[in-house]
């Protein structure tokens, strides 16, 4: 199962230092039955992109909680065994939990398939989105528009060999 792990650049630097993405349980995003139903598509590439987008939003939440982090969303794509990730049944109907899974095993960073990171020109919009997130969660439509503005920036794809260069940005 492909999962998308939301991080920040300091989080990626820590994973690079320790060699682990997480030591379970930790949150990630994947193509779940609820995500399939919400997205209403059978195209696996579209569904994977939706899961990646959900992880990017979770990365934005991590940035909102860490004002010192470089304002770039980070998502690591990694394959785990099917039984290593599962949906929390208590969060099933929660719309903020669409695609969320709990990874219950240690995941070495060496198992990562790719890293997705915002380009430098996204930092201003990502910073504004991180600041507006709490108001958007409270129902403020203008703040939601600012948060949605971060999605105008596609996350760039990086090979795992490029992680040392990426952590230098932190």
């Amino acid at each position: 199962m492909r999962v998308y792990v939301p991080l920040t650049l300091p989080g990626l630097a820590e994973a690079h230092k320790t060699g682990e993405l997480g030591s379970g349980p930790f949150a990630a995003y994947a193509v779940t039955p609820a995500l399939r139903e919400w997205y209403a598509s059978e195209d696996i590439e579209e569904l994977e992109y939706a899961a990646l987008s959900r992880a990017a939003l979770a990365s934005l939440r991590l940035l909102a909680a860490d004002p010192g982090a470089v304002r770039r969303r980070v998502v690591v794509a990694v394959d785990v065994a099917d039984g290593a990730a599962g949906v929390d049944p208590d969060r099933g109907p929660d719309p903020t939990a669409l695609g969320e899974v709990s990874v219950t095993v240690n995941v070495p960073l060496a198992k990562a398939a790719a890293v997705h990171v915002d380009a430098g020109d996204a930092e201003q919009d990502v910073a504004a989105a991180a600041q507006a997130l709490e108001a958007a969660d409270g129902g403020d439509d203008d703040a939601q528009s600012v948060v949605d503005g971060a999605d105008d920036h596609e996350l760039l794809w990086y090979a795992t060999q490029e992680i040392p260069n990426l952590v230098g940005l932190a």
Side-chain angles (χ1 to χ4, degrees):
M1 167 186 273
R2 168 79 35 109
V3 299
Y4 298 91
V5 181
L7 294 174
T8 60
L9 282 171
L12 182 61
E14 181 65 20
H16 180 64
K17 182 176 138 188
T18 65
E20 279 193 338
L21 267 176
S23 57
F26 61 91
Y29 292 79
V31 177
T32 63
L35 185 74
R36 281 181 187 275
E37 185 178 321
W38 171 73
Y39 199 74
S41 174
E42 291 301 316
D43 184 328
I44 192 63
E45 287 184 16
E46 287 181 17
L47 291 165
E48 297 248 344
Y49 185 78
L52 171 66
S53 297
R54 301 299 294 175
L57 177 58
S59 176
L60 185 63
R61 292 187 183 289
L62 294 173
L63 288 171
D66 183 0
V70 176
R71 302 333 240 176
R72 294 191 194 188
R73 298 167 297 168
V74 176
V75 176
V76 177
V78 63
D79 294 319
V80 299
D82 286 341
V87 177
D88 180 350
D90 294 333
R91 293 202 32 131
D94 181 354
T96 63
L98 281 172
E100 186 177 308
V101 295
S102 179
V103 178
T104 59
V105 298
N106 292 352
V107 179
L109 184 58
K111 295 278 188 183
V115 181
H116 303 271
V117 181
D118 278 308
D121 67 351
E123 285 185 27
Q124 186 175 355
D125 289 339
V126 171
Q131 261 189 320
L133 198 53
E134 187 176 339
D137 287 346
D140 183 323
D141 290 339
D142 291 335
Q144 185 61 54
S145 178
V146 172
V147 170
D148 292 343
D151 288 337
D152 291 342
H153 298 276
E154 292 288 327
L155 296 177
L156 302 178
W157 181 93
Y158 292 91
T160 56
Q161 299 87 331
E162 297 177 272
I163 290 174
N165 295 333
L166 292 171
V167 299
L169 300 172

